[in-house]
Amino acid sequence: MTAAAPALAGLVRRLESIGPLTAAEREAVADLPAAIRTLPPRCPIVREGERPGQCCVVLQGWLCRSNVLGSGKRQIHSLHIAGDMPDLQSLHLPVMDHNLDTLTPALVAAIPHEALRELLASYPGVAAVLWRGTLIDAAMVRQWMVCLGRRAALEHTGHLLCEMYLRQQAAGLAAGFRCPLPITQSDLGDALGLSTVHVNRVLQSLRAMGLITLQNGTLRIHDWERLVALSEFDPTYLHREDAPV
Amino acid sequence: MTAAAPALAGLVRRLESIGPLTAAEREAVADLPAAIRTLPPRCPIVREGERPGQCCVVLQGWLCRSNVLGSGKRQIHSLHIAGDMPDLQSLHLPVMDHNLDTLTPALVAAIPHEALRELLASYPGVAAVLWRGTLIDAAMVRQWMVCLGRRAALEHTGHLLCEMYLRQQAAGLAAGFRCPLPITQSDLGDALGLSTVHVNRVLQSLRAMGLITLQNGTLRIHDWERLVALSEFDPTYLHREDAPV
DNA sequence: CGGTGCGTTGACATTTATCAAACGCGGTGG
DNA sequence: CCACCGCGTTTGATAAATGTCAACGCACCG
């Protein structure tokens, strides 16, 4: 059940990118009990309405949070990569108001709420960092919302690509304007609030403009400056202390 | 500068609706130093890019958080009523990534960050409640986003009306399926991601269905059940412990 | 070798935006 | 007291963006 030491190294790294930890705090986080699971793609982790007793940490692969409407339409509100804790909110809000699923094959660690609560009680510094983390998460959702409500499909898609590149770069998963984007156009549509067909056309259009290519789950950004300009992408909302790009 | 005792009573009430406070915590919150200001409608409070040194509490009136794009289009991500602390995040994320404005004439209290930090350090229970509050706030934004991305204008608008009624009811500002809705159709459009013209048509359509009327800044919901059904409104995301409605 | 899932394309339908104008109403100054 | 003005609402005509439906190709896999 309890993981070997290096399993939560990615989490420690992520938290330190959000705020400072003391050596004792680092160690306490790394020593959290974590049950590691390998999951297939499109696999439910937690469902709306449930009351989970643990939080999960992404070790590998992509996860998403979403809601599904009666019509079957799905809106993804966030994409999660290694280092993220997508359902940390369940620690304070017992009933899930959305779903958490894998998009790709994934490796996740489950940490019992109880262990987290003990950690937070003993190390208020960790609590502060996690709080800050949930605020950044919320800021990303708000920005996503602005794109959904007020940007055209082209700009919106470009904005998402910029965000996912920068986030992966910060996590050490990308460099050189090249990063994994291992999800289908249909999932992308659920994230962007667009139909699959339209996503396809928008991507082609971005490619025709010489801005990106997207092949075999790899995104290549050929002209970062123009893509940023087109999407009016301003990384402030990621609240990174170091300078992005 | 420092407010008379009852000024922050609404804040205490709101926090207690989010989580339990001890008598000492209640008192400490009520004793926070607060500079009260009266503001006109459409008045900026904090701008994107700024580093505010205080958080504001709404005492009266409506505020909104928004981003404005280069094209001049505005997306409102949340509406705030008495008891809300719309910019609490500035305590942990120094640079604002959005704007905070009044929509109506408003009374707001400004609380210095320093005083809040001292409060949180002395009363971890208050910190926990505020954290939970920011998580609920994030949950509302996510739901708003689902509406924006995947619901048609009619359902979306209905959903917003349901939310604003319930939130005001919880704050003791509404009852009997009647509540203030003191904002223009143009602001409503910026919240819903729709044009003013379309908002107008949607509202007429909701009225024609016998679901609501909206006159002189007052919303009347004539058929709560049907409005909830139409909008697939599920109040889980408000995370109220008492049963709504 | 035949599925199955994903990407692509075309034709067409629908929703929503945009533009322009008129209306109503409360406030204000002559 | 009345005319005018500004703001918000309402209406109609038209345009643009995006969705839906249907079909096809292509690669991977059993």
Side-chain angles (χ1 to χ4, degrees), chain A residues 42 150 183-186 196-197 200-201 204:
Chain A
R42 313 187 167 286
R150 289 305 193 195
I183 68 178
T184 66
Q185 294 184 0
S186 155
T196 308
V197 172
N200 183 280
R201 289 177 171 140
Q204 285 181 58

Side-chain angles (χ1 to χ4, degrees), chain B residues 85-154:
Chain B
M85 287 188 77
D87 61 348
L88 182 57
Q89 78 155 351
S90 65
L91 198 59
H92 292 280
L93 301 178
V95 179
M96 289 297 288
D97 56 23
H98 59 267
N99 302 312
L100 178 63
D101 301 89
T102 63
L103 288 172
T104 69
L107 204 61
V108 307
I111 302 178
H113 281 173
E114 195 172 342
L116 279 167
R117 279 190 237 281
E118 283 167 20
L119 176 75
L120 299 189
S122 315
Y123 299 95
V126 177
V129 169
L130 286 180
W131 186 0
R132 189 172 135 95
T134 61
L135 288 169
I136 294 175
D137 185 85
M140 294 193 304
V141 172
R142 278 198 305 272
Q143 202 56 48
W144 209 318
M145 183 178 147
V146 171
C147 290
L148 220 31
R150 289 304 193 196
R151 281 195 228 266
L154 198 73

Side-chain angles (χ1 to χ4, degrees), chain B residues 31-42:
Chain B
D31 285 349
L32 280 165
I36 315 275
R37 281 189 302 163
T38 307
L39 300 173
R42 308 183 173 289

Side-chain angles (χ1 to χ4, degrees), chain A residues 41 54 66 78 89-90 112 156 181 188 224 235:
Chain A
Q54 51 193 29
S66 67
S78 49
Q89 78 154 350
S90 66
H156 185 181
L181 203 98
L188 222 37
W224 174 258

Side-chain angles (χ1 to χ4, degrees), chain B residues 15 77 119:
Chain B
L15 295 186
H77 7 97
L119 176 75

